[in-house]
Coordinates of all heavy atoms in Angstrom, one line a residue:
M1358 N 88.6 144.6 117.4 CA 89.6 145.2 118.2 C 90.8 144.3 118.5 O 90.6 143.1 118.8 CB 89.0 145.7 119.6 CG 90.0 146.4 120.5 SD 89.1 146.9 122.1 CE 90.5 147.3 123.1
N1359 N 92.0 144.8 118.3 CA 93.2 143.9 118.5 C 93.3 143.7 120.0 O 93.1 144.6 120.9 CB 94.4 144.5 118.0 CG 94.4 144.6 116.5 OD1 93.8 143.7 115.9 ND2 95.0 145.6 115.9
T1360 N 93.7 142.5 120.3 CA 94.1 142.2 121.8 C 95.6 142.3 121.9 O 96.3 141.6 121.3 CB 93.7 140.8 122.1 OG1 92.2 140.7 121.9 CG2 94.0 140.5 123.6
L1361 N 96.0 143.2 122.8 CA 97.4 143.4 123.0 C 97.8 142.9 124.3 O 97.2 143.3 125.3 CB 97.8 145.0 122.8 CG 97.6 145.6 121.5 CD1 97.7 147.1 121.6 CD2 98.5 145.0 120.5
N1362 N 98.7 142.0 124.4 CA 99.2 141.5 125.6 C 100.6 141.9 125.9 O 101.5 141.3 125.5 CB 99.0 140.0 125.6 CG 99.1 139.4 127.0 OD1 99.7 140.1 127.9 ND2 98.7 138.1 127.2
F1363 N 100.7 143.0 126.7 CA 102.1 143.5 127.0 C 102.8 142.6 128.0 O 104.0 142.7 128.1 CB 102.0 144.9 127.4 CG 101.7 145.9 126.3 CD1 100.5 146.3 126.0 CD2 102.8 146.2 125.4 CE1 100.3 147.2 125.0 CE2 102.6 147.1 124.4 CZ 101.3 147.6 124.1
D1364 N 102.1 141.8 128.7 CA 102.7 140.9 129.6 C 103.7 139.9 128.9 O 104.6 139.4 129.5 CB 101.7 140.1 130.5 CG 101.1 141.0 131.5 OD1 101.6 142.1 131.7 OD2 100.1 140.5 132.1
D1365 N 103.3 139.7 127.7 CA 104.1 138.7 126.9 C 105.2 139.3 126.0 O 105.8 138.8 125.2 CB 103.2 137.8 126.1 CG 102.5 136.8 127.0 OD1 103.0 136.5 128.1 OD2 101.3 136.4 126.6
Q1366 N 105.2 140.7 126.1 CA 106.2 141.4 125.2 C 107.6 141.0 125.7 O 108.0 141.1 126.9 CB 106.0 142.9 125.5 CG 107.0 143.8 124.7 CD 106.8 143.8 123.2 OE1 105.8 144.0 122.7 NE2 107.9 143.5 122.5
E1367 N 108.4 140.5 124.8 CA 109.8 140.1 125.1 C 110.7 141.2 125.0 O 110.8 142.1 124.1 CB 110.2 138.9 124.2 CG 109.5 137.7 124.5 CD 110.1 136.5 123.9 OE1 110.8 136.7 122.9 OE2 109.9 135.4 124.4
L1368 N 111.6 141.3 126.0 CA 112.6 142.3 126.1 C 114.0 141.6 126.3 O 114.0 140.4 126.8 CB 112.4 143.3 127.2 CG 111.1 144.1 127.2 CD1 111.0 144.8 128.5 CD2 111.1 145.0 126.1
T1369 N 115.0 142.2 126.0 CA 116.4 141.6 126.1 C 117.3 142.5 126.9 O 117.3 143.7 126.6 CB 117.0 141.3 124.8 OG1 116.1 140.5 124.1 CG2 118.3 140.6 125.0
I1370 N 118.0 142.0 127.8 CA 119.0 142.8 128.6 C 120.3 142.0 128.5 O 120.3 140.9 128.1 CB 118.7 143.0 130.1 CG1 118.4 141.7 130.8 CG2 117.5 144.0 130.2 CD1 118.4 141.8 132.3
E1371 N 121.4 142.7 128.9 CA 122.7 142.0 128.9 C 123.0 141.6 130.3 O 122.9 142.3 131.3 CB 123.7 143.1 128.4 CG 125.1 142.6 128.2 CD 126.1 143.6 127.8 OE1 126.5 144.4 128.7 OE2 126.4 143.7 126.6
C1372 N 123.4 140.3 130.3 CA 123.7 139.8 131.7 C 124.9 140.5 132.2 O 126.0 140.8 131.5 CB 124.1 138.3 131.5 SG 124.8 137.6 133.0
P1373 N 124.8 141.0 133.4 CA 125.9 141.8 134.0 C 127.1 141.0 134.3 O 128.2 141.5 134.4 CB 125.3 142.3 135.4 CG 124.1 141.4 135.6 CD 123.6 140.9 134.3
D1374 N 127.0 139.7 134.3 CA 128.2 138.9 134.6 C 128.9 138.4 133.3 O 130.1 138.5 133.2 CB 127.8 137.6 135.4 CG 127.5 138.0 136.8 OD1 128.0 139.1 137.3 OD2 126.8 137.4 137.6
C1375 N 128.1 137.8 132.4 CA 128.8 137.2 131.2 C 128.5 137.9 129.9 O 128.9 137.5 128.8 CB 128.3 135.7 131.1 SG 126.6 135.5 130.7
K1376 N 127.6 139.0 130.0 CA 127.3 139.9 128.9 C 126.5 139.2 127.8 O 126.5 139.6 126.6 CB 128.6 140.4 128.2 CG 129.6 141.1 129.2 CD 128.9 142.2 129.9 CE 129.9 142.9 130.9 NZ 129.2 143.9 131.8
S1377 N 125.9 138.1 128.1 CA 125.1 137.4 127.2 C 123.7 138.1 127.1 O 123.3 138.6 128.2 CB 124.9 135.9 127.6 OG 126.1 135.2 127.4
P1378 N 123.1 138.0 126.0 CA 121.7 138.5 125.9 C 120.7 137.7 126.7 O 120.7 136.4 126.6 CB 121.4 138.6 124.5 CG 122.3 137.6 123.8 CD 123.5 137.5 124.7
V1379 N 119.9 138.3 127.6 CA 118.9 137.4 128.3 C 117.6 138.0 128.1 O 117.3 139.2 128.2 CB 119.2 137.6 129.8 CG1 118.3 136.8 130.6 CG2 120.7 137.2 130.2
T1380 N 116.7 137.1 127.5 CA 115.3 137.6 127.2 C 114.4 137.4 128.4 O 114.4 136.4 129.1 CB 114.8 136.7 126.0 OG1 115.8 136.9 124.9 CG2 113.5 137.3 125.5
F1381 N 113.5 138.4 128.6 CA 112.5 138.2 129.6 C 111.3 138.9 129.2 O 111.2 139.6 128.1 CB 113.0 138.9 130.9 CG 113.3 140.4 130.8 CD1 112.3 141.3 131.2 CD2 114.5 140.8 130.3 CE1 112.6 142.6 131.1 CE2 114.7 142.2 130.2 CZ 113.8 143.1 130.6
T1382 N 110.2 138.8 129.9 CA 109.0 139.5 129.6 C 108.6 140.5 130.6 O 109.1 140.5 131.7 CB 107.8 138.4 129.4 OG1 107.6 137.8 130.6 CG2 108.1 137.5 128.3
I1383 N 107.7 141.4 130.2 CA 107.4 142.6 131.1 C 106.9 142.1 132.4 O 107.1 142.6 133.5 CB 106.4 143.5 130.3 CG1 107.1 144.3 129.3 CG2 105.7 144.4 131.3 CD1 106.2 145.2 128.6
K1384 N 106.1 140.9 132.4 CA 105.5 140.5 133.6 C 106.5 140.0 134.6 O 106.2 139.8 135.8 CB 104.5 139.4 133.4 CG 105.0 138.1 132.7 CD 103.8 137.2 132.4 CE 104.3 136.0 131.6 NZ 103.2 135.2 131.1
Q1385 N 107.8 139.8 134.1 CA 108.9 139.4 135.0 C 109.6 140.5 135.7 O 110.5 140.3 136.6 CB 109.9 138.5 134.2 CG 109.3 137.1 133.8 CD 110.3 136.4 133.0 OE1 110.6 136.7 131.9 NE2 110.8 135.2 133.5
V1386 N 109.3 141.7 135.2 CA 110.0 142.9 135.8 C 109.6 143.0 137.3 O 108.4 142.9 137.7 CB 109.5 144.2 135.1 CG1 110.0 145.4 135.8 CG2 110.1 144.1 133.7
G1387 N 110.5 143.2 138.1 CA 110.3 143.3 139.6 C 110.6 142.0 140.2 O 110.8 141.9 141.5
S1388 N 110.9 141.0 139.4 CA 111.3 139.7 140.1 C 112.7 139.4 139.5 O 113.4 140.2 139.0 CB 110.3 138.6 139.6 OG 110.2 138.4 138.3
S1389 N 113.1 138.1 139.7 CA 114.5 137.7 139.3 C 114.4 136.6 138.3 O 113.5 135.8 138.2 CB 115.2 137.2 140.5 OG 115.4 138.3 141.4
I1390 N 115.3 136.7 137.3 CA 115.5 135.6 136.4 C 116.9 135.0 136.4 O 117.8 135.7 136.9 CB 115.2 136.1 134.9 CG1 116.1 137.3 134.6 CG2 113.7 136.6 134.8 CD1 116.0 137.7 133.1
N1391 N 117.1 133.9 135.8 CA 118.4 133.3 135.8 C 118.9 133.4 134.3 O 118.3 133.2 133.3 CB 118.3 131.8 136.1 CG 118.2 131.6 137.5 OD1 117.0 131.5 138.0 ND2 119.2 131.4 138.3
C1392 N 120.2 133.9 134.2 CA 120.8 133.9 133.0 C 121.0 132.5 132.4 O 121.5 131.6 133.1 CB 122.2 134.5 133.2 SG 123.3 134.4 131.6
P1393 N 120.6 132.3 131.2 CA 120.6 130.9 130.6 C 122.1 130.5 130.3 O 122.3 129.3 130.2 CB 119.8 131.0 129.3 CG 119.8 132.5 129.0 CD 119.9 133.2 130.3
N1394 N 122.9 131.5 130.3 CA 124.3 131.1 130.0 C 125.2 130.9 131.2 O 125.8 129.7 131.3 CB 125.0 132.3 129.2 CG 126.4 131.9 128.7 OD1 126.5 130.9 128.0 ND2 127.3 132.8 129.0
C1395 N 125.2 131.7 132.2 CA 126.0 131.5 133.4 C 125.2 131.3 134.6 O 125.8 131.1 135.7 CB 126.9 132.8 133.6 SG 126.0 134.2 134.1
K1396 N 123.9 131.2 134.5 CA 123.0 130.9 135.6 C 123.0 131.9 136.7 O 122.6 131.7 137.9 CB 123.3 129.5 136.3 CG 123.5 128.4 135.2 CD 122.2 128.2 134.5 CE 122.3 127.0 133.5 NZ 121.2 127.1 132.4
S1397 N 123.6 133.1 136.4 CA 123.6 134.2 137.4 C 122.1 134.6 137.6 O 121.4 134.7 136.6 CB 124.5 135.3 136.8 OG 124.6 136.3 137.8
I1398 N 121.8 135.1 138.8 CA 120.5 135.6 139.1 C 120.5 137.1 138.8 O 121.3 137.8 139.3 CB 120.1 135.3 140.5 CG1 120.0 133.8 140.8 CG2 118.8 136.0 140.8 CD1 119.8 133.4 142.2
I1399 N 119.6 137.5 137.9 CA 119.5 138.9 137.5 C 118.1 139.4 138.1 O 117.1 138.9 137.8 CB 119.5 139.0 136.0 CG1 120.7 138.4 135.4 CG2 119.4 140.5 135.6 CD1 120.7 138.2 133.9
T1400 N 118.2 140.5 138.9 CA 117.1 141.0 139.4 C 116.5 142.1 138.5 O 117.3 143.0 138.1 CB 117.3 141.6 140.8 OG1 117.8 140.6 141.6 CG2 116.0 142.2 141.4
L1401 N 115.3 142.0 138.1 CA 114.8 142.9 137.1 C 114.0 144.1 137.8 O 112.9 144.1 137.9 CB 113.8 142.2 136.2 CG 114.3 141.0 135.4 CD1 113.3 140.3 134.6 CD2 115.4 141.5 134.4
K1402 N 114.8 145.0 138.3 CA 114.2 146.2 138.9 C 114.0 147.2 137.8 O 114.8 147.4 136.9 CB 115.2 146.8 139.9 CG 115.3 145.8 141.1 CD 116.2 146.5 142.1 CE 116.4 145.6 143.4 NZ 117.4 146.2 144.3
D1403 N 112.9 147.9 137.9 CA 112.6 149.0 137.0 C 113.8 149.9 136.8 O 114.0 150.3 135.7 CB 111.3 149.8 137.4 CG 110.1 149.0 137.5 OD1 110.1 147.9 136.9 OD2 109.1 149.4 138.0
E1404 N 114.4 150.2 137.9 CA 115.5 151.2 137.9 C 116.6 150.8 137.0 O 117.2 151.6 136.3 CB 116.0 151.2 139.4 CG 116.7 152.5 139.8 CD 117.2 152.3 141.2 OE1 116.4 151.8 142.0 OE2 118.3 152.7 141.5
G1405 N 116.9 149.5 137.0 CA 118.0 149.0 136.2 C 117.6 148.8 134.8 O 118.5 148.3 134.0
L1406 N 116.4 149.0 134.4 CA 116.0 148.6 133.0 C 115.6 149.9 132.3 O 114.9 149.8 131.3 CB 114.8 147.7 133.1 CG 115.1 146.3 133.7 CD1 113.8 145.6 134.0 CD2 116.0 145.5 132.8
K1407 N 116.1 151.0 132.7 CA 115.7 152.3 132.1 C 115.9 152.3 130.6 O 115.0 152.6 129.9 CB 116.5 153.4 132.6 CG 115.9 154.0 134.0 CD 116.8 155.1 134.5 CE 116.3 155.5 135.8 NZ 117.3 156.4 136.5
N1408 N 117.0 151.7 130.2 CA 117.3 151.7 128.7 C 116.3 150.8 128.0 O 115.8 151.2 126.9 CB 118.7 151.3 128.4 CG 119.7 152.4 129.0 OD1 119.3 153.6 129.1 ND2 120.9 152.0 129.3
G1409 N 116.2 149.6 128.5 CA 115.4 148.6 127.8 C 113.9 148.9 127.8 O 113.3 148.5 126.9
L1410 N 113.5 149.5 128.8 CA 112.0 149.7 128.9 C 111.6 151.1 128.5 O 110.4 151.3 128.3 CB 111.6 149.5 130.4 CG 111.6 148.1 130.9 CD1 111.1 148.0 132.3 CD2 110.6 147.3 130.1
A1411 N 112.6 152.0 128.2 CA 112.2 153.3 127.8 C 111.3 153.3 126.6 O 110.3 154.0 126.6 CB 113.4 154.1 127.5
N1412 N 111.6 152.6 125.6 CA 110.8 152.5 124.4 C 109.4 151.8 124.6 O 108.4 152.4 124.2 CB 111.5 151.8 123.2 CG 112.7 152.6 122.8 OD1 112.8 153.7 123.0 ND2 113.7 151.8 122.3
I1413 N 109.4 150.8 125.4 CA 108.2 150.1 125.7 C 107.2 151.1 126.5 O 106.1 151.1 126.2 CB 108.4 148.8 126.5 CG1 109.3 147.8 125.7 CG2 107.2 148.2 127.0 CD1 108.6 147.3 124.5
D1414 N 107.8 151.7 127.5 CA 107.1 152.6 128.3 C 106.4 153.7 127.5 O 105.2 154.0 127.6 CB 108.0 153.3 129.3 CG 107.2 154.0 130.4 OD1 106.3 153.3 130.9 OD2 107.6 155.1 130.8
T1415 N 107.2 154.3 126.5 CA 106.6 155.2 125.7 C 105.4 154.6 124.8 O 104.3 155.2 124.6 CB 107.7 155.8 124.7 OG1 108.7 156.3 125.6 CG2 107.1 156.9 123.8
M1416 N 105.6 153.4 124.3 CA 104.7 152.8 123.4 C 103.4 152.5 124.3 O 102.3 152.8 123.8 CB 105.3 151.4 123.0 CG 104.5 150.7 121.9 SD 105.4 149.3 121.3 CE 105.3 148.1 122.6
V1417 N 103.5 152.1 125.4 CA 102.4 151.8 126.3 C 101.6 153.0 126.5 O 100.4 153.1 126.5 CB 102.8 151.0 127.6 CG1 101.6 151.0 128.6 CG2 103.3 149.7 127.3
K1418 N 102.3 154.1 126.9 CA 101.7 155.4 127.2 C 100.9 155.9 126.0 O 99.8 156.4 126.1 CB 102.7 156.5 127.6 CG 103.1 156.3 129.1 CD 104.2 157.3 129.4 CE 104.5 157.1 130.9 NZ 105.8 157.8 131.3
N1419 N 101.5 155.8 124.8 CA 100.8 156.3 123.6 C 99.6 155.4 123.3 O 98.6 156.0 122.8 CB 101.8 156.1 122.4 CG 102.8 157.2 122.4 OD1 102.6 158.3 123.1 ND2 104.0 157.0 121.8
L1420 N 99.6 154.2 123.6 CA 98.5 153.3 123.3 C 97.3 153.5 124.3 O 96.1 153.3 124.0 CB 98.9 151.9 123.4 CG 99.6 151.4 122.1 CD1 100.2 150.0 122.3 CD2 98.7 151.3 120.9
F1421 N 97.6 153.8 125.6 CA 96.6 153.9 126.6 C 96.3 155.3 127.1 O 95.5 155.4 128.0 CB 97.0 153.0 127.8 CG 97.1 151.6 127.4 CD1 98.2 150.8 127.1 CD2 95.9 150.8 127.3 CE1 98.3 149.5 126.8 CE2 95.8 149.5 126.9 CZ 97.1 148.8 126.7
K1422 N 96.8 156.3 126.4 CA 96.6 157.6 126.9 C 95.1 158.0 126.5 O 94.6 157.5 125.6 CB 97.6 158.6 126.4 CG 97.4 158.9 124.8 CD 98.5 159.8 124.3 CE 98.4 159.9 122.8 NZ 99.6 160.7 122.3
Ligands
ZN597 ZN1 125.2 135.4 132.4

């Protein structure tokens, strides 16, 4: 059986300030990260990640249904 660790699944969002791609992992959702480019604090709310997490959410549902 494969071990799937979705906590380490990497996702990328666009920094709202400098538009740089910022990589984070699912386990960071709900907390805040710093943009590596402009050091802006980005709060990873589920609400604001609809686009980025839509596919992951579907994938997780399919795997665990
Ligand atoms: Zn930035």
Side-chain angles (χ1 to χ4, degrees):
M1358 181 177 169
N1359 292 331
T1360 302
L1361 296 171
N1362 192 345
F1363 284 99
D1364 283 351
D1365 290 331
Q1366 176 70 50
E1367 288 193 338
L1368 300 171
T1369 304
I1370 57 167
E1371 187 181 75
C1372 174
D1374 287 335
C1375 69
K1376 309 300 180 193
S1377 289
V1379 182
T1380 304
F1381 63 96
T1382 58
I1383 286 181
K1384 65 185 171 189
Q1385 290 177 294
V1386 173
S1388 61
S1389 298
I1390 57 171
N1391 285 91
C1392 171
N1394 188 52
C1395 70
K1396 310 301 180 194
S1397 182
I1398 295 171
I1399 303 166
T1400 303
L1401 300 173
K1402 289 182 179 175
D1403 292 347
E1404 204 179 322
L1406 295 170
K1407 275 179 188 168
N1408 293 334
L1410 285 181
N1412 293 334
I1413 297 294
D1414 193 45
T1415 302
M1416 189 170 79
V1417 170
K1418 279 178 183 163
N1419 286 337
L1420 282 167
F1421 292 102
K1422 71 185 174 185

